[in-house]
Amino acid sequence: MTDRADKLLSADEAVSRLRSGMTLGIGGWGSRRKPMALVRALLRSEVTDLTVVSYGGPDVGMLAAAGRIRKLVTAFVTLDSIPLEPHYRAARERGAFELTEVDEAMFMWGLHAAANRLPFLPVRAGIGSDVMRVNPGLRTVTSPYEDQETFVAMPALRLDAALVHVNRADRLGNGQYLGPDPYFDDLFCEAADAAYVSCERVVDTAELTKAAAPQSLLVKRHTVTGVIEAPNGAHFTSCAPDYGRDEAFQKRYATTPWPEFAARFLAGDEQAYRSAVGEES
Amino acid sequence: MSEVTRAEYCVIACAEAWRGAGEILASPMGLIPSVGARLARHTFAPDLLLTDGEALLVGLDGTVEGWLPYRQHLALVTGGRRHVMMGASQIDRYGNQNIACIGDWAKPTRQLLGVRGAPVNTLNNPTSYWVPRHSRRVFVERVDMVCGVGYDRAAGARHHRIPRVVSDLGVFDFATPDRSMRLASLHPGVSVEQVREATGFDLVVPDEVSRTREPTAGELRLIREVIDPEDTRAREVAC
């Protein structure tokens, strides 16, 4: 029997496989279970000119502040407990990048289309709203059946790469979430040509279902390229049940001028980040 | 019991949005709509589904009765068995709502939340709005970005319905021939002139203006002692 592929990588190794100009999907939702260790590694790299596809939180805020985004595809950017993401806001108000603004459901059906290798999926959303005005490329499709209703033909959001963070994974790429909401992380992986899954802890495959039900196995290994062990890797976003959002640190992020925040917390590697965060608390 | 506060009239006005709704999900956004939805569930709308604000359906005592992660929530929206009460940074006479940005979308003077789920909500399930501070900055002639779709732009879409707009001054609906906004009831202590002054478009005002109804003694006790003993409602609407 041949050994199956061990996909374990460091965050920097994963990011070294990304290229400028790529379309990158980032999992999680708002300021929840964001793959922040991978985002921090991305910020340490030279990769730029990205099209970022995200239900946005501080991942978008940081990449926007650092000037890495050429185009953003989103329905919102928020820190949840702080409704407006200040660094994203500032970037938008200075016109720093292109925006494809779609509704939450349109975004989801775009990922579904990509995962299903379809060019689009019809969605009852967008018509009548200014989503159509600000996305002049969006097309509609009329039902071929009796109802003749018109829908938005939401184009597939195919991704060059996806970054997601889960609670546990094995070295083969089977990823498990233990919190109450899967968000859309499995879809991001299915919609991408390559997917990098960071996790709180890498465990043996058998251990995944010792304490949790099999339906917590969210991400399947055939959709995963690399597994990154990143304890506290969603910090300062939440990663239930392992930890909640670090509200104090999030506030610090939101109120500190970006250059100062980046110099203090993002100048070194992940270990340096953890030390700097530790000194704060 | 002490005098009924403006915030409590707002709670009653929001709760009424879910009267007779049956076994559907109440999705309140904001403190006062949340108190209102719980009051409705406690009293005249006992079949309502409520969430914990995250992925769980919960009873009034917090008992978990279902699982509703974002993906299923979006499916529930399109199934129509939900009545959401959203916020509005701007709203116009036909109920077009904006929460995305102020100014030119290409380079906004103020970036806000983004369109979020407003486009899908308004084409699929009843969508009401809650505005804690009624002003000409919110009730505008024309919104800068249409997120929630109003009656003039919905073109009779089959599931489109905006039952009501509740503000700190009154309740508004679209029960007019051209579906433009109408004053449905004034909260006690508010005058028609005050509402007109705070509204940036010509509001339809009926000859006989109703008053938002009084809470019953039982409702006041529920609001004050059971649902919102910390008086969070006063944070959204003072006085």
Side-chain angles (χ1 to χ4, degrees):
Chain A
M1 199 174 85
T2 337
D3 281 345
R4 282 172 298 172
D6 183 332
K7 295 174 185 167
L8 210 56
L9 298 173
S10 70
D12 290 319
E13 282 169 340
V15 163
S16 74
R17 299 186 183 189
L18 305 178
R19 294 287 169 263
S20 293
M22 275 188 167
T23 296
L24 205 58
I26 303 179
W29 173 282
S31 193
R32 305 166 196 215
R33 219 173 70 219
K34 284 288 176 179
M36 297 305 284
L38 292 173
V39 170
R40 288 188 282 269
L42 193 53
L43 289 167
R44 288 195 294 274
S45 78
E46 300 292 312
V47 174
T48 189
D49 198 34
L50 293 167
T51 292
V52 172
V53 179
S54 174
Y55 286 111
D59 52 332
V60 169
M62 285 187 178
L63 292 169
R68 305 299 182 92
I69 303 181
R70 181 175 61 77
K71 182 164 130 184
L72 175 68
V73 181
T74 196
F76 60 79
V77 181
T78 181
L79 297 172
D80 294 325
S81 54
I82 299 172
L84 304 178
E85 216 293 349
H87 301 297
Y88 165 70
R89 254 188 118 163
R92 268 284 281 156
E93 289 168 13
R94 64 174 184 267
F97 50 81
E98 266 181 73
L99 177 64
T100 295
E101 184 163 7
V102 294
D103 163 276
E104 290 169 9
M106 294 169 71
F107 187 110
M108 176 183 77
W109 286 110
L111 289 179
H112 271 291
N116 288 276
R117 299 192 297 180
L118 290 168
F120 73 89
L121 277 167
V123 50
R124 189 184 278 123
I127 290 174
S129 79
D130 274 336
V131 161
M132 305 308 285
R133 170 172 66 88
V134 303
N135 295 290
L138 276 180
R139 296 288 174 262
T140 58
V141 61
T142 304
S143 166
Y145 299 104
E146 260 176 42
D147 59 278
Q148 297 273 297
E149 186 172 344
T150 300
F151 300 93
V152 166
M154 179 61 201
L157 291 172
R158 191 70 207 171
L159 312 168
D160 293 311
L163 309 178
V164 306
H165 185 76
V166 294
N167 301 90
R168 307 283 179 270
D170 66 14
R171 304 165 78 96
L172 307 174
N174 295 303
Q176 179 177 47
Y177 82 112
L178 299 171
D181 202 314
Y183 308 119
F184 299 83
D185 289 2
D186 49 333
L187 265 181
F188 275 98
C189 294
E190 290 166 18
D193 294 338
Y196 299 95
V197 178
S198 62
C199 63
E200 291 298 311
R201 201 147 55 79
V202 171
V203 298
D204 288 338
T205 306
E207 204 181 310
L208 290 169
T209 44
K210 263 191 190 149
Q215 56 267 40
S216 62
L217 295 168
L218 180 66
V219 175
K220 289 145 191 53
R221 63 182 166 84
H222 71 283
T223 66
V224 174
T225 316
V227 176
I228 300 92
E229 184 164 48
N232 229 17
H235 184 267
F236 47 87
T237 73
S238 62
C239 188
D242 290 317
Y243 47 89
R245 186 178 305 125
D246 185 341
E247 296 287 359
F249 192 85
Q250 173 161 286
K251 193 168 179 196
R252 172 83 190 254
Y253 160 77
T255 53
T256 307
W258 173 254
E260 197 186 306
F261 181 88
R264 173 86 179 88
F265 295 103
L266 303 171
D269 61 9
E270 187 70 4
Q271 191 51 52
Y273 173 79
R274 277 183 234 164
S275 305
V277 171
E279 286 162 22
E280 291 293 302
S281 53
Chain B
M1 265 197 228
S2 57
E3 206 175 318
V4 180
T5 66
R6 180 69 59 77
E8 287 159 351
Y9 285 115
C10 292
V11 166
I12 290 296
C14 289
E16 285 290 338
W18 287 287
R19 184 181 287 276
E23 205 159 30
I24 66 155
L25 178 71
S27 283
M29 299 182 190
L31 296 172
I32 284 178
S34 299
V35 177
R38 294 173 66 80
L39 179 68
R41 169 81 171 74
H42 264 287
T43 55
F44 50 77
D47 294 333
L48 285 179
L49 303 171
L50 297 173
T51 75
D52 65 346
E54 304 264 340
L56 301 175
L57 292 168
V58 291
L60 286 168
D61 63 354
T63 303
V64 176
E65 61 168 330
W67 182 52
L68 192 71
Y70 286 114
R71 216 179 297 185
Q72 292 196 8
H73 202 139
L74 283 170
L76 192 152
V77 168
T78 52
R81 298 190 64 81
R82 173 180 187 252
H83 183 162
V84 58
M85 184 172 274
M86 299 188 77
S89 305
Q90 295 178 322
I91 190 161
D92 72 15
R93 72 180 71 204
Y94 296 110
N96 293 293
Q97 168 253 27
N98 175 24
I99 46 171
C101 65
I102 302 296
D104 177 14
W105 176 85
K107 194 176 180 230
T109 51
R110 282 177 76 75
Q111 173 64 41
L112 304 175
L113 284 174
V115 294
R116 299 224 56 152
V120 73
N121 286 345
T122 43
L123 290 195
N124 290 279
N125 59 205
T127 304
S128 291
Y129 296 105
W130 158 242
V131 178
R133 197 168 300 177
H134 194 129
S135 77
R136 285 173 175 261
R137 283 178 60 195
V138 179
F139 289 75
V140 294
E141 191 64 53
R142 183 167 301 198
V143 304
D144 293 340
M145 168 93 180
V146 176
C147 304
V149 180
Y151 279 102
D152 59 331
R153 300 171 61 113
R158 60 175 65 172
H159 307 298
H160 177 265
R161 191 159 71 87
I162 309 174
R164 63 176 58 200
V165 178
V166 179
S167 81
D168 58 332
L169 299 183
V171 180
F172 307 85
D173 64 20
F174 300 88
T176 53
D178 72 342
R179 298 301 227 161
S180 62
M181 200 186 290
R182 181 190 78 129
L183 176 60
S185 78
L186 281 174
H187 300 329
V190 181
S191 69
V192 171
E193 290 64 42
Q194 215 179 324
V195 174
R196 280 209 168 107
E197 185 55 37
T199 304
F201 52 83
D202 282 335
L203 189 67
V204 178
V205 179
D207 297 338
E208 292 274 319
V209 179
S210 317
R211 291 278 160 186
T212 304
R213 79 163 171 88
E214 297 292 322
T216 65
E219 286 173 333
L220 264 190
R221 191 188 62 76
L222 280 169
I223 295 170
R224 293 177 179 179
E225 293 169 23
V226 179
I227 302 170
D228 189 29
E230 305 290 319
D231 200 14
T232 64
R233 59 198 179 277
R235 276 189 244 146
E236 274 190 340
V237 175
C239 84

